[in-house]
Amino acid sequence: MKPIFRQANDKYFVEQLTRRNMETYYKKLGISWDKKAFDKNWCEFESYEIVINDCPVGVLRLSHDDAAYYIRDLQIEPSWQRQGVGVQAIDHTFELAQQARVQLLRLRVFCENPAVNLYKRRGFRICKTEGGAHYMEREV
């Protein structure tokens, strides 16, 4: 099943999915949800709904500069996790970076997040670890 990536317009869906998926990590690290930062980033990031059978199942949020594409947020509904949706989102980002002729993909992920293994399988390597998060990158 191949998802469709379309511009996200439902800010509420994106925020609620992100908050729900990240809640455990935030609590463990003593981080509070920052609504103002989310609102600011909503305007700055490219946000895509990940849609299967006309139903949103996740969100992919990106930014980029001349050096890299950044996966700022990749959230998948729990019932759709471990079904290849995350892989397809990473591959979609890779294609966007290729089209933009950018040489690197970068991201930050909490060390305890099982998605670390997904990123490693997709060719990302850990560049540094700081504040409970891995900073990872891969060449395009």
Side-chain angles (χ1 to χ4, degrees):
M1 185 168 340
K2 185 161 176 67
I4 294 168
F5 296 87
R6 67 181 182 205
Q7 182 176 346
N9 295 314
D10 188 347
K11 184 178 172 184
Y12 179 79
F13 168 75
V14 173
E15 183 175 13
Q16 294 307 306
L17 177 59
T18 303
R19 287 184 78 166
R20 188 172 59 243
N21 282 1
M22 301 308 291
E23 183 176 28
T24 302
Y25 306 108
Y26 278 30
K27 280 184 180 178
K28 193 172 261 188
L29 293 168
I31 300 170
S32 298
W33 180 256
D34 188 341
K35 175 104 172 103
K36 287 182 182 179
F38 178 83
D39 290 344
K40 180 179 183 269
N41 293 337
W42 177 256
C43 297
E44 294 176 358
F45 296 165
E46 299 170 29
S47 298
Y48 299 92
E49 286 181 354
I50 305 169
V51 180
I52 296 176
N53 296 331
D54 214 26
C55 180
V57 300
V59 63
L60 173 65
R61 302 183 72 209
L62 308 171
S63 67
H64 64 90
D65 56 28
D66 292 338
Y69 250 80
Y70 300 86
I71 297 175
R72 299 296 187 163
D73 206 6
L74 174 54
Q75 302 294 334
I76 308 297
E77 286 281 358
S79 63
W80 283 94
Q81 292 175 2
R82 293 176 180 76
Q83 296 186 44
V85 177
V87 168
Q88 292 180 69
I90 294 166
D91 291 349
H92 179 74
T93 306
F94 187 87
E95 291 170 13
L96 291 172
Q98 280 183 315
Q99 291 169 8
R101 300 185 189 276
V102 173
Q103 300 302 310
L104 293 172
L105 290 180
R106 292 181 172 151
L107 60 87
R108 181 179 65 186
V109 60
F110 290 121
C111 299
E112 295 183 20
N113 190 327
V116 170
N117 295 319
L118 165 65
Y119 296 129
K120 286 180 178 178
R121 285 194 311 272
R122 300 312 294 164
F124 286 85
R125 63 181 178 80
I126 297 170
C127 298
K128 76 174 182 177
T129 301
E130 183 176 274
H134 293 310
Y135 291 75
M136 302 180 77
E137 71 178 30
R138 72 161 283 183
E139 292 183 11
V140 174

